[in-house]
């Protein structure tokens, strides 16, 4: 049977499995590719699992939006850390990761042919979700330091625009947007009657005294701000698939329709684990993110050797650096050679919408000091050898 055409042909293939296959074929490769952390969930998460098992009714479907104890715990966290009050104008929906939250949002607020503004470099799964929904991603370039350009965002808005997406701390660049810039974008969205989708999956990962800012905490923004959060990063929860959204109350019915169709309810056992994770002592996050901060410094010190070969933008968040390599070589070809010839993996910038040069994303959250030293050394030597040859 001939293959049928569908909307999925217009959607880019996810890059992580492609790079993963290259790594598998080159044993011993150190991966600076996938955005995960090196550490495990807190013991409190595991300790809550018997509570799930003790109640037979937990094997049945639960509320589409999440179990009540978790919703309560998340409301407390949002108030304490983000300055977001859950009130009559907004609500929380627990999701199977924040990628699902983004898909929920796009399906709830758009019709086919609508436009969503992404800032480049964008997170590839966002662009993919927009294409799957039959909508169009309108790309707005950030400045030379990958910071937002609110005036350019405002100029890109058309009658078909339904939302502007921001990610801070940012994937793939690691930059953190200023409160002033986020406030400006939030106001632009409010003035134009469109949504501000704020992806905050890396909210805890900030360095050098930089503070995370949640746009939904701005005054009078509850009506049009959609906030996305995740336990995958800060709590080592990648495979447990728990994230959550804070949405305007008027979107609740639409979001529930999407989630009930795709998922019915978030995995209840994972929700119990999440409830336990949120009760972890502050030292859990402090010590683990502190260790990543030390790894970050090792990476930064090593990358200084590449200053004549790459542009390295300062980044005070997440666990990424985004390099522009001074070469005419195709980014994916460079990634393949780094894996095959130097046994180190990174992600090509083209998958983040950067096709006007050779860009690489370096992820350092999954590695500890000794491993990252070896990985970065391979990367530096590999780039010096390949680009200078």
């Amino acid at each position: 049977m001939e293959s049928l055409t569908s909307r999925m042909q217009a959607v880019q293939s996810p890059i992580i499995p492609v790079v993963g296959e290259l790594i598998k074929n080159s044993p011993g490769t150190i991966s600076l590719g996938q955005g995960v952390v090196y550490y495990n969930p807190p013991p409190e998460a595991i300790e809550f699992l018997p509570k799930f098992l003790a109640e037979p009714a937990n094997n049945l479907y639960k509320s589409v939006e999440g179990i009540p104890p978790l919703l309560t715990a998340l409301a407390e966290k949002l108030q304490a850390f983000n300055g977001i009050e859950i009130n009559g104008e907004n609500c929380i929906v627990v999701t199977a990761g924040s990628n699902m939250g983004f898909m929920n949002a796009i399906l709830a607020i758009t019709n086919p042919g609508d436009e969503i503004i992404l800032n480049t470099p964008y997170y590839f799964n966002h662009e993919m979700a927009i294409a799957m929904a039959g909508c169009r991603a309108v790309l707005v370039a950030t400045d030379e330091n990958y910071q937002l350009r609110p005036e350019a965002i405002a100029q890109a808005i058309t009658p078909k625009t339904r939302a502007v997406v921001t990610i801070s701390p940012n994937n793939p660049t690691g930059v953190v947007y200023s409160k002033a810039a986020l406030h400006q974008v939030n106001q632009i969205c409010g003035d134009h009657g469109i949504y501000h989708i704020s992806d905050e999956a890396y909210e805890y990962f900030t360095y050098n005294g930089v503070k995370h800012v949640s746009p939904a905490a701005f005054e009078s923004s509850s009506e049009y701000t959609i906030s996305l959060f995740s336990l995958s990063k800060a709590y080592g929860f990648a495979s447990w698939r728990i994230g959550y959204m804070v949405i305007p109350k008027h979107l609740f019915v639409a979001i529930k329709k999407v989630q009930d169709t795709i998922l019915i309810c978030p995995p209840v056992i994972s929700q119990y684990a999440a409830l336990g994770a949120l009760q972890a002592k502050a030292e859990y996050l402090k010590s683990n993110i502190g260790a990543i901060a030390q790894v970050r410094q090792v990476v930064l010190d090593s990358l200084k050797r590449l200053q004549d070969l790459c542009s390295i933008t300062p980044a005070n968040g997440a666990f990424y650096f985004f390099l522009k390599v001074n070469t005419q070589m195709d980014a994916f070809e460079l990634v393949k050679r780094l894996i095959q010839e130097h046994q180190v993996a990174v992600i090509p910038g083209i998958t983040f919408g950067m096709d006007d040069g050779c860009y690489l994303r370096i992820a350092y959250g999954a590695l500890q000091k000794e491993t990252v030293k070896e990985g970065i050394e391979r990367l530096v030597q590999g780039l010096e050898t390949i680009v200078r040859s």
Side-chain angles (χ1 to χ4, degrees), residues 253-272:
V253 172
I255 295 284
K256 282 182 71 174
K257 286 180 183 178
V258 178
Q259 182 142 302
D260 185 70
T261 300
I262 297 173
L263 186 69
I264 298 183
C265 66
V268 178
I269 190 168
S270 295
Q271 292 190 67
Y272 269 77

Side-chain angles (χ1 to χ4, degrees), residues 78-93:
L78 287 162
Q79 180 76 67
F81 184 79
N82 305 92
I84 299 172
E85 179 187 358
I86 300 303
N87 51 40
E89 297 178 355
N90 60 11
C91 59
I92 303 168
V93 175

Side-chain angles (χ1 to χ4, degrees), residues 281-325:
K281 295 178 177 63
E283 182 59 27
Y284 170 80
L285 291 177
K286 184 179 178 182
S287 62
N288 285 314
I289 294 174
I292 286 180
Q294 293 178 13
V295 168
R296 172 184 177 273
Q297 195 57 52
V298 170
V299 174
L300 203 51
D301 291 344
S302 298
L303 290 178
K304 288 176 182 175
R305 288 167 46 193
L306 295 173
Q307 285 181 329
D308 62 328
L309 292 179
C310 304
S311 300
I312 305 164
T313 300
N316 286 311
F319 32 75
Y320 304 116
F321 288 111
F322 202 64
L323 307 187
K324 183 176 184 181
V325 187

Side-chain angles (χ1 to χ4, degrees), residues 15-16 32-36 123-124 171-173 202 319-323 345-349 352 359-363:
I15 192 67
I16 299 297
L32 300 169
Q34 194 162 24
V36 292
Y123 171 45
F124 53 85
N171 178 10
T173 66
Y202 299 88
F319 32 75
Y320 304 116
F321 288 111
F322 202 64
L323 307 187
V346 290
I347 301 296
F352 303 103
Y359 296 85
L360 303 174
R361 188 191 76 174
I362 298 171

Side-chain angles (χ1 to χ4, degrees), residues 98-329:
S98 60
N99 270 9
M100 181 172 190
F102 187 82
M103 193 81 221
N104 285 353
I106 295 301
L107 291 174
I109 67 173
T110 65
N111 290 308
D114 285 343
E115 297 173 351
I116 304 292
I117 293 175
L118 299 181
N119 297 281
T120 56
Y122 54 65
Y123 171 45
F124 53 85
N125 281 136
H126 286 174
E127 190 272 343
M128 292 166 68
I130 292 164
M132 287 179 194
C135 297
R136 188 170 80 92
V138 174
L139 308 183
V140 175
T142 49
D143 70 14
E144 65 277 6
N145 291 317
Y146 304 122
Q147 292 291 333
L148 296 171
R149 296 165 56 232
E151 298 85 0
I153 291 170
Q155 289 172 3
I157 294 172
T158 74
K160 289 187 174 183
T161 305
R162 293 295 170 263
V164 176
V165 179
T166 60
I167 310 170
S168 183
N170 188 260
N171 178 10
T173 66
V175 303
V176 181
Y177 300 146
S178 70
K179 182 176 181 179
L182 286 169
H183 192 268
Q184 198 172 346
V185 171
N186 198 257
Q187 281 192 313
I188 288 168
C189 292
D191 291 344
H192 285 81
I194 61 178
Y195 293 97
H196 181 181
I197 302 177
S198 173
D199 187 330
E200 303 174 39
Y202 299 88
E203 59 184 326
Y204 291 104
F205 296 88
T206 57
Y207 316 102
N208 298 324
V210 173
K211 300 294 184 185
H212 173 68
V213 176
S214 292
F218 298 145
E219 190 175 353
S220 304
S221 68
S222 293
E223 193 176 325
Y224 56 87
T225 305
I226 299 170
S227 307
L228 308 178
F229 301 95
S230 174
L231 272 72
S232 294
K233 313 302 179 183
Y235 287 96
F237 248 60
S239 72
W240 294 81
R241 307 314 304 136
I242 291 292
Y244 55 102
M245 321 168 65
V246 178
I247 61 172
K249 197 64 176 282
H250 65 259
L251 288 178
F252 186 53
V253 172
I255 295 284
K256 282 182 71 174
K257 286 180 183 178
V258 178
Q259 182 142 302
D260 185 70
T261 300
I262 297 173
L263 186 69
I264 298 183
C265 66
V268 178
I269 190 168
S270 295
Q271 292 190 67
Y272 269 77
L275 186 56
L278 292 171
Q279 298 187 18
K281 295 178 177 63
E283 182 59 27
Y284 170 80
L285 291 177
K286 184 179 178 182
S287 62
N288 285 314
I289 294 174
I292 286 180
Q294 293 178 13
V295 168
R296 172 184 177 273
Q297 195 57 52
V298 170
V299 174
L300 203 51
D301 291 344
S302 298
L303 290 178
K304 288 176 182 175
R305 288 167 46 193
L306 295 173
Q307 285 181 329
D308 62 328
L309 292 179
C310 304
S311 300
I312 305 164
T313 300
N316 286 311
F319 32 75
Y320 304 116
F321 288 111
F322 202 64
L323 307 187
K324 183 176 184 181
V325 187
N326 301 326
T327 178
Q328 297 300 310
M329 186 180 299

Side-chain angles (χ1 to χ4, degrees), residues 16 19 23 29-36 172 295 298-299 302-303 306 319-321 323 335 338-339 342-348 352 360-380 383:
I16 299 297
V19 173
I23 293 171
T29 295
I30 295 175
S31 177
L32 300 169
Q34 194 162 24
V36 292
V295 168
V298 170
V299 174
S302 298
L303 290 178
L306 295 173
F319 32 75
Y320 304 116
F321 288 111
L323 307 187
V335 167
L338 284 168
I339 294 171
H342 297 274
Q343 292 188 300
V344 62
V346 290
I347 301 296
F352 303 103
L360 303 174
R361 188 191 76 174
I362 298 171
Y364 55 86
L367 303 178
Q368 293 177 283
K369 259 187 174 180
E370 292 311 311
T371 315
V372 86
K373 280 180 184 175
E374 176 63 23
I376 287 294
E377 185 62 28
R378 292 183 190 182
L379 178 65
V380 170
L383 287 174

